[in-house]
Amino acid sequence: MTAAKDPPPQPAISAPILATSSVHMSGTAEARIMGSAVAGVSELMLFHPVDTIAKRIMTTESRLVVNSISGTAGNLNTAVFKDRAGAGSLTKFGSLFPGIGFGAVYKILQRVYKFGGQPVLKDWMKSRYGQSFETAFGHHGATTMLSATSGALIGIGEVVLLPLDALKVKAQTAPEQLKGRGVIDIFRTEGWSLYRGAGWTVARNAPGSFALFGGNKAAKIMMGVGEDGQRATWTQDAISSCAGATASIVVAQPLDIVKTRIQSRAFNSPESGVSIITNLLKNEGTGAFFKGLTPKLMVVGPKLVFSFTVAQHLIGYFTTTMKGF
């Protein structure tokens, strides 16, 4: 009697290319929070004066560059140091630290939310819509578009932190508006006016964050980095962060000018974004939309590159080291 043959083995069914796995390059929740928080604290300690300089240049409504070098230097000196323009070097440097308290709370919350939250949203979108993205954009295109789209959505939600950002900008550009006032008094008195410019902030954050995370992912793909479980080196994280940060700053600059000027105005003297744009075109010309872009790329760009690089690398590091816990 012939023994019955075993049925032939069934071929294994491979998972969809974009399906999620238990541990991603984007990290666990704890790793994301820790890595992003360290990045935020480090960025604040190193770059707050640089941020103050950029904000003061962007809120200066007069022309800074004139026909003479000495005149341009004088205008920049006044724009950056304001009433301390004639003081000594140490006093000038000390004047670049207003709003450090608001800046600390805002920057840490922002970086944890943005750098820690984007991977969470990206993973959720990948599990729900990954196959649709791959059909539309191809494998690598889908990876880039998922990163960019989730980044844009996270950027829109960042508007929740706008009051802290507004108070930081006022402290940096118009400290007299906050002099003698406590935080509780400001929130109680000003209320929803602290969300002034929310629409322009959303309009600026969405394309800026799209370019930041999309540019970063595209650069990693070009370097052959980015598949799940594959960690980038510090150099690769720095290069990809530089690509994303440059794209983000350039794309968001025109609306960042409008947003910053709205936030810098006195509480009792609001001005709409449309009015600011009209006056800007009339008095300063179209080039004013990119006022401060070069120094911003030189001084703010490294700040964003630094924090994004630190966040990405530490999230990957903490994810690996915490696997056994």
Side-chain angles (χ1 to χ4, degrees), residues 192-307:
W192 289 104
S193 68
L194 292 172
Y195 278 97
R196 188 176 296 149
W200 293 98
T201 300
V202 168
R204 166 243 193 197
N205 285 357
S209 294
F210 184 96
L212 174 66
F213 290 101
N216 172 74
K217 178 57 69 175
K220 282 190 172 180
I221 290 174
M222 291 180 66
M223 291 186 290
V225 180
E227 296 299 326
D228 286 340
Q230 183 182 4
R231 283 191 59 192
T233 64
W234 277 105
T235 301
Q236 289 169 331
D237 275 330
I239 292 173
S240 64
S241 296
C242 184
T246 301
S248 176
I249 290 172
V250 173
V251 168
Q253 177 69 4
L255 290 176
D256 199 28
I257 292 285
V258 178
K259 165 190 167 289
T260 302
R261 292 193 179 187
I262 289 174
Q263 291 179 322
S264 67
R265 292 191 63 82
F267 287 115
N268 59 358
S269 180
E271 185 177 9
S272 70
V274 174
S275 175
I276 287 176
I277 291 174
T278 301
N279 291 330
L280 183 146
L281 290 172
K282 177 181 177 182
N283 300 323
E284 303 170 61
T286 56
F289 281 114
F290 291 93
K291 178 182 282 188
L293 177 60
T294 299
K296 191 173 182 180
L297 286 170
M298 294 173 62
V299 295
V300 178
K303 177 185 73 168
L304 183 55
V305 170
F306 171 83
S307 62

Side-chain angles (χ1 to χ4, degrees), residues 2-278:
T2 305
K5 293 182 179 180
D6 292 333
Q10 296 296 317
I13 300 175
S14 61
I17 294 176
L18 293 177
T20 57
S21 60
S22 58
V23 178
H24 286 278
M25 182 58 206
S26 51
T28 64
E30 295 83 359
R32 290 163 179 162
I33 293 173
M34 292 171 61
S36 301
V38 171
V41 173
S42 302
E43 177 188 343
L44 182 75
M45 293 173 61
L46 292 174
F47 291 102
H48 187 77
V50 170
D51 185 57
T52 298
I53 291 173
K55 290 291 190 298
R56 289 179 176 177
I57 290 177
M58 286 193 292
T59 55
T60 301
E61 299 185 10
S62 58
R63 293 185 183 274
L64 296 175
V65 179
V66 293
N67 294 330
S68 66
I69 295 177
S70 60
T72 299
N75 291 341
L76 287 171
N77 182 52
T78 302
V80 171
F81 299 107
K82 295 187 173 293
D83 58 340
R84 307 295 174 86
S89 299
L90 288 178
T91 302
K92 283 183 175 181
F93 182 72
S95 71
L96 298 177
F97 286 89
I100 189 71
F102 295 125
V105 177
Y106 169 72
K107 188 56 63 179
I108 295 172
L109 288 177
Q110 183 207 33
R111 291 318 189 202
V112 170
Y113 165 77
K114 191 165 189 172
F115 295 155
Q118 185 268 345
V120 176
L121 180 58
K122 183 191 69 177
D123 287 350
W124 181 86
M125 292 178 63
K126 181 191 285 187
S127 66
R128 303 286 192 292
Y129 309 109
Q131 197 60 55
S132 298
F133 271 78
E134 183 168 350
T135 301
F137 302 105
H139 177 69
H140 290 315
T143 304
T144 300
M145 288 302 295
L146 278 166
S147 292
T149 305
S150 58
L153 294 174
I154 283 291
I156 291 172
E158 198 176 330
V159 74
V160 173
L161 301 175
L162 187 60
L164 292 172
D165 185 31
L167 292 177
K168 178 180 74 74
V169 172
K170 287 183 186 298
Q172 291 173 307
T173 61
E176 65 279 359
Q177 297 180 29
L178 305 178
K179 191 174 182 179
R181 303 182 65 182
V183 176
I184 296 177
D185 171 63
I186 292 173
F187 275 91
R188 183 191 301 119
T189 304
E190 306 304 333
W192 289 104
S193 68
L194 292 172
Y195 278 97
R196 188 176 296 149
W200 293 98
T201 300
V202 168
R204 166 243 193 197
N205 285 357
S209 294
F210 184 96
L212 174 66
F213 290 101
N216 172 74
K217 178 57 69 175
K220 282 190 172 180
I221 290 174
M222 291 180 66
M223 291 186 290
V225 180
E227 296 299 326
D228 286 340
Q230 183 182 4
R231 283 191 59 192
T233 64
W234 277 105
T235 301
Q236 289 169 331
D237 275 330
I239 292 173
S240 64
S241 296
C242 184
T246 301
S248 176
I249 290 172
V250 173
V251 168
Q253 177 69 4
L255 290 176
D256 199 28
I257 292 285
V258 178
K259 165 190 167 289
T260 302
R261 292 193 179 187
I262 289 174
Q263 291 179 322
S264 67
R265 292 191 63 82
F267 287 115
N268 59 358
S269 180
E271 185 177 9
S272 70
V274 174
S275 175
I276 287 176
I277 291 174
T278 301

